[in-house]
Amino acid sequence: MTLPSSAPIDPLVLYGHAFDSRLLLGTARYPSPDVLEAAVQQARPAMLTASLRRQTAPAGTASQADHGFWPLLRRLGVPVLPNTAGCHSVQEVIATAQMARELFDTPWIKLELIGDDYTLQPDTLNLVQAADTLIRDGFWVLPYCTEDLVLCQRLVDVGCQAVMPWAAPIGTGRGPVNPYALRMLRERLDVPMIVDAGLGLPSHACQVMEWGFDGVLLNTAVALAQDPVAMASAFAKATQAGRAAHRAGAMAAQEHAQPSTPVLGTPFWHQS
Amino acid sequence: MHILINDQPVEVPAGSTLADAITQAQPSAPFAVALNHEFVPRHRYASLQLRAGDALEIIRPVTGG
């Protein structure tokens, strides 16, 4: 892929498309559309996630929020990443993704196939088949998955050019609950990886970026903060800081203390 | 004949097309449609004949994570 001359220095590249932000932001659970809009303007995310639900009211009687979201998305001008949230079968995923493609006019799809309603854990046994079918149908698939190495490898094998392992169950804000597996996954797979779900603090985002992940996708941690707009800004900065630290290369941890100030010439020093 | 629109029973005239049912439902734009769990692209609305018992989903964009 050739990046245009105006391309960012350190872009996030997904399916050949460069983004100058490594933060993907969800649009749900904000106190109001105005707060969502302000949070997006602070975070300047690479993409915004959105979803599909049934129309339950005739035209002209839908709620203000229903009417307001579509024009808000258009106004923000951020690429939209539709999801297949709530799907429990491959058939539901395929139909939902195809509806999303027509409605949002985009090949991007965040593949969510839920296998357990309590933990919202992905259905790891059917996720690969769903991804394979979508990719053959021309979608640019970003699969929400666990940190299981073999699952992620199989997703890559069927054509996923990026994967999105969870840090913790959706909406928990617990941060990475299995750092060993996440770091091993990062070490073993050489595709863009976005940590999706379970992040609660900017430090969580910074940490996974320090580990070498390529981006983060979050929603609840911003939307349910006391000040979502300020938290959006904090997450954006933390994501950038973690990425910069990864590129800078961290020192190796040491077992013993080593003075950072030179010992030679220490005043009042004497041989004991 | 009876069909389902978003899991609600609806009566439509026999011989109705998908476009007829959508007109009757008056969904807000933008929307997309699936029939019996399969996506139906816009260009097929007018030609797709409905049958009794068909299950229609009409969806809209909403916030999501």
Side-chain angles (χ1 to χ4, degrees):
Chain A
M1 185 200 68
T2 303
L3 296 174
S5 57
S6 61
I9 295 171
D10 177 34
L12 169 65
V13 179
L14 301 171
Y15 289 86
H17 291 260
F19 301 90
D20 60 6
S21 169
R22 291 175 177 272
L23 172 63
L24 287 71
L25 192 63
T27 56
R29 308 185 72 181
Y30 290 81
S32 72
D34 288 344
V35 173
L36 166 60
E37 183 169 8
V40 171
Q41 287 168 347
Q42 280 294 315
R44 298 183 175 275
M47 305 179 97
L48 287 175
T49 56
S51 196
L52 302 175
R53 287 295 178 263
R54 284 172 168 162
Q55 293 222 3
T56 53
T61 61
S63 72
Q64 186 64 34
D66 291 341
H67 277 307
F69 183 57
W70 181 256
L72 173 59
L73 269 186
R74 302 292 95 181
R75 189 164 66 246
L76 289 169
V78 178
V80 176
L81 175 61
N83 68 30
T84 61
C87 290
H88 289 75
S89 70
V90 174
Q91 185 184 29
E92 289 175 8
V93 160
I94 303 308
T96 302
Q98 290 172 332
M99 287 191 284
R101 178 165 58 185
E102 181 182 80
L103 202 156
F104 292 103
D105 192 24
T106 179
W108 293 106
I109 194 75
K110 175 184 169 183
L111 166 57
E112 290 188 53
L113 176 53
I114 299 302
D116 178 62
D117 282 326
Y118 185 74
T119 62
L120 298 179
Q121 179 167 333
D123 179 350
T124 54
L125 298 183
N126 292 299
L127 197 61
V128 176
Q129 181 196 344
D132 186 31
T133 304
L134 290 172
I135 285 169
R136 290 174 190 272
D137 194 18
F139 284 95
W140 298 342
V141 180
L142 298 178
Y144 161 64
C145 54
T146 65
E147 71 278 53
D148 185 279
L149 170 61
V150 176
L151 169 64
C152 292
Q153 180 63 65
R154 295 292 179 268
L155 289 166
V156 172
D157 290 345
V158 298
C160 291
Q161 295 184 26
V163 294
M164 300 205 298
W166 67 355
I170 293 171
T172 61
R174 299 176 64 86
V177 294
N178 195 345
Y180 172 80
L182 271 178
R183 298 185 77 169
M184 183 59 73
L185 176 64
R186 176 67 289 179
E187 185 180 320
R188 296 291 299 155
L189 274 192
D190 189 23
V191 296
M193 281 193 271
I194 296 165
V195 174
D196 174 15
L199 301 178
L201 294 168
S203 57
H204 298 153
C206 189
Q207 179 150 62
V208 298
M209 295 301 292
E210 286 173 354
W211 292 343
F213 285 89
D214 298 278
V216 295
L217 194 165
L218 51 101
N219 187 149
T220 308
V222 170
L224 296 192
Q226 291 183 22
D227 184 342
V229 179
M231 190 60 83
S233 174
F235 265 103
K237 291 169 183 168
T239 304
Q240 290 173 356
R243 176 64 180 178
H246 172 70
R247 282 166 57 87
M251 63 166 280
Q254 305 296 311
E255 288 296 324
H256 304 289
Q258 296 181 15
S260 50
T261 303
V263 174
L264 188 64
T266 302
F268 315 119
W269 181 88
H270 62 87
Q271 185 77 43
S272 57
Chain B
M1 62 183 177
H2 288 289
I3 64 170
L4 292 174
I5 298 181
N6 290 341
D7 210 34
Q8 297 298 311
V10 174
E11 183 74 19
V12 297
S16 291
T17 63
L18 179 53
D20 295 330
I22 291 171
T23 300
Q24 184 172 325
Q26 296 182 280
S28 303
F31 61 87
V33 171
L35 182 64
N36 301 327
H37 293 93
E38 292 196 356
F39 166 64
V40 182
R42 288 189 195 104
H43 67 83
R44 290 189 56 210
Y45 292 171
S47 61
L48 204 156
Q49 204 83 29
L50 294 178
R51 292 179 295 188
D54 276 346
L56 186 60
E57 299 279 344
I58 303 178
I59 57 86
R60 61 187 168 89
V62 297
T63 60

